[in-house]
Amino acid sequence: MKFGTRLIVAVLAAVVLGGAAVGVAAKKKKKGDPTDKTVNVKSQLKPGPVRNVILFIGDGMDETAVTAGRNYHLGANGRLMMDRLKLAGSVTTYAMNELMGSKKPFYVTDSAASGTAWATGQKTGLFRISSEAFTDKPLTTIAELAQRRGYRTGNVSTDSVTGATPAVQMAHVRMRNCQAPGDGVCLTDAKSEGGLGSIAEQAADSKMDLILGGGRGDFEGTIPAGPDTGKTVIESAQRQGFDVIGTKAELDSYSGKKRLLGLFADGTITPEWNGQPAMREGFVAQRCETGKRPAEQPSLTNMTKRAISFLNKRSKGKKKGFFLQVEGAGIDKGAHAANPCRQIGELVAFDAAVKAGIQFAKKSPRTLVIVTADHGQSGQILPGPGADKSAILITNEGERMVMGYATAKNDSSQEHAGITVPVRSFGPRAANLMGLKNQTDIFDVIVDALKIRAKK
Ligand code: MG
Ligand code: ZN
């Protein structure tokens, strides 16, 4: 007993003295150890609740695209907005091998199957827009779940709004190319066959509060069946409560009270930059030409800012906030065309839009911002022009960057690559997307953050 008591006294003394010693040490080291950056990461770790979610998708934006954009625009030691987000992870991208009759993975996805995975939480086959593999059953999207629970929803893209990435939030079709009424690939999805209609028709029928992008051409066709038979899709959208606008000036000055459909180009919005595509021979060192987008078309940043303020204003005083998806589509399109200037210009434009999202999230701290991509692309940064097709760019820091493209034979469009892509997040619950994730996890994180999961 005596020994025991002595031990306890000794332990207590050690605790007290130790505590004092730690206290002194803590006082001395109040500024912390400057080599330990834990505190920087900790400052970005925030739990819920979440009121708004902004999901940024860089189509085809793998780490090569990010690196090429950083190198060209800011230099190898520069940092893009998305680079500054500390809570980072990677996402696996694969589709279901439905075309071979299998539910197992097909390692290289397209944007339709990829988008379906994060929009609905379910893997599907190539070319499907929020449509179940093998059954054609419509899969409920984040935007649809959010609408049912009283959130405002928006969809912004530099693509046609009938493109696969925006479509996955507001349409359900077997084939992604079923974009306009009368498109032959619609088959049983056509309204004349009793289906939900093309992507344009479903956008007009949707409950989205705001849709901004290109694709006016797909809305000019005539609806073959249903309540709007004989009307154009634009007329149908107007009847169902959308104001339809077509220029940047109309977007900037819009103060109406209706839902908003902005169609700023016939097809995709014009890429910001251009230059010589990669070639087999005869390439010369080049600087990218900037400022290529016509003034009547809004930039992605412009559309993103307008979308945020539109949705946020309409959420004021309401219990629920908003869900907004923003796509930078041209990164992928530039890579398909083996055109590094187009690819990089769109990456830089996308990063500027991300900055607008982060700026809003800093003022509205219950906003979760997620920045990710849908699949890898062609395009590598190489030591010299050894790929099938090459281009040499002189970066803003005055150095040569050789981009090589070699995922297509002959002169066909470059192919996607089956690689994990980055995910970088900011705001409450952002920590849920650190480490290696599946695209379906993005769905889970968003529906749990907004508390909109469908009841089983
Ligand atoms: Mg896309
Ligand atoms: Zn693509």
Side-chain angles (χ1 to χ4, degrees):
M1 279 301 272
K2 232 180 181 180
F3 176 77
T5 312
R6 251 203 321 258
L7 183 65
I8 287 164
V9 169
V11 167
L12 279 175
V15 166
V16 170
L17 287 172
V22 167
V24 171
K27 253 181 207 160
K28 266 190 192 158
K29 283 173 68 183
K30 205 172 181 185
K31 282 187 180 151
D33 177 348
T35 65
D36 184 359
K37 311 291 187 200
T38 307
V39 67
N40 296 351
V41 178
K42 239 184 184 168
S43 70
Q44 292 201 8
L45 284 173
K46 286 182 200 123
V50 172
R51 178 173 167 81
N52 313 306
V53 173
I54 308 176
L55 173 62
F56 284 96
I57 305 291
D59 199 313
M61 189 188 73
D62 58 20
E63 291 285 10
T64 296
V66 177
T67 308
R70 184 192 304 127
N71 284 351
Y72 187 92
H73 194 53
L74 303 170
N77 290 304
R79 291 295 175 263
L80 297 161
M81 185 65 232
M82 63 180 112
D83 290 333
R84 295 185 193 161
L85 305 180
K86 305 258 186 267
L87 307 185
S90 303
V91 186
T92 60
T93 62
Y94 61 90
M96 190 189 283
N97 200 357
E98 185 190 14
L99 296 180
M100 295 300 284
S102 167
K103 290 192 171 175
K104 287 193 163 172
F106 183 74
Y107 297 124
V108 185
T109 187
D110 75 325
S111 297
S114 166
T116 298
W118 81 69
T120 73
Q122 283 197 52
K123 289 284 180 180
T124 193
L126 294 177
F127 316 131
R128 285 188 179 274
I129 301 292
S130 297
S131 152
E132 192 174 64
F134 300 104
T135 69
D136 295 348
K137 210 181 91 191
L139 299 170
T140 309
T141 72
I142 296 172
E144 290 164 345
L145 290 169
Q147 288 152 10
R148 285 181 201 167
R149 304 292 180 89
Y151 287 86
R152 276 127 301 274
T153 54
N155 206 348
V156 169
S157 178
T158 49
D159 201 353
S160 295
V161 299
T162 57
T165 312
V168 294
Q169 292 293 355
M170 58 189 183
H172 310 271
V173 292
R174 167 70 188 86
M175 293 299 290
R176 57 184 286 176
N177 291 342
C178 170
Q179 288 170 281
D183 280 351
V185 293
C186 292
L187 303 173
T188 53
D189 287 319
K191 283 193 167 166
S192 51
E193 300 296 317
L196 297 172
S198 65
I199 295 167
E201 291 162 87
Q202 292 189 49
D205 295 343
S206 78
K207 302 212 156 47
M208 301 294 304
D209 295 283
L210 167 139
I211 305 169
L212 304 179
R216 175 172 282 266
D218 291 333
F219 288 78
E220 286 169 346
T222 308
I223 297 173
D228 287 336
T229 305
K231 284 198 170 108
T232 67
V233 187
I234 288 180
E235 289 164 347
S236 168
Q238 287 165 332
R239 180 190 67 77
Q240 299 187 76
F242 282 102
D243 272 334
V244 182
I245 57 170
T247 63
K248 178 184 184 295
E250 286 174 295
L251 177 63
D252 288 343
S253 63
Y254 184 77
S255 60
K257 295 278 170 271
K258 292 188 170 183
R259 298 188 293 142
L260 188 59
L261 173 60
L263 301 169
F264 305 108
D266 234 29
T268 63
I269 288 183
T270 308
E272 300 283 341
W273 299 3
N274 208 349
Q276 281 281 347
M279 296 184 281
R280 292 212 172 80
E281 50 201 27
F283 34 77
V284 285
Q286 60 172 321
R287 296 274 298 151
C288 296
E289 304 155 27
T290 60
K292 293 302 208 185
R293 173 178 43 78
E296 67 270 17
Q297 296 177 7
S299 68
L300 186 60
T301 302
N302 188 207
M303 289 192 286
T304 302
K305 284 184 172 169
R306 294 296 294 158
I308 290 172
S309 86
F310 178 100
L311 297 169
N312 189 46
K313 244 184 228 154
R314 290 174 186 217
S315 304
K316 283 249 158 74
K318 302 231 162 73
K319 252 178 107 179
K320 307 288 172 68
F322 65 83
F323 168 71
L324 171 64
Q325 180 179 295
V326 177
E327 182 202 19
I331 305 162
D332 178 70
K333 294 182 195 301
H336 277 301
N339 187 322
C341 284
R342 265 202 240 163
Q343 189 185 0
I344 290 170
E346 295 304 285
L347 183 289
V348 170
F350 176 71
D351 195 58
V354 168
K355 188 175 176 188
I358 297 294
Q359 280 168 343
F360 172 77
K362 283 184 172 165
K363 283 185 293 174
S364 303
R366 284 168 62 193
T367 304
L368 169 61
V369 179
I370 300 169
V371 184
T372 189
D374 55 353
H375 54 72
Q377 249 294 359
S378 179
Q380 296 279 294
I381 302 163
L382 298 175
D388 179 44
K389 291 182 175 181
S390 303
I392 304 171
L393 307 184
I394 302 299
T395 65
N396 285 344
E397 63 183 345
E399 295 303 311
R400 275 161 60 100
M401 176 166 69
V402 179
M403 296 286 292
Y405 296 81
T407 61
K409 274 199 172 163
N410 308 318
D411 286 316
S412 53
S413 169
Q414 297 288 314
E415 290 287 4
H416 296 173
I419 191 171
T420 57
V421 293
V423 57
R424 296 165 190 186
S425 315
F426 180 84
R429 285 179 173 251
N432 290 289
L433 285 169
M434 296 175 75
L436 182 63
K437 297 291 175 189
N438 193 314
Q439 289 182 308
T440 51
D441 294 327
I442 295 173
F443 171 86
D444 287 329
V445 166
I446 295 174
V447 297
D448 289 339
L450 294 176
K451 302 199 185 334
I452 55 174
R453 190 176 283 280
K455 286 178 187 112
K456 290 239 163 109

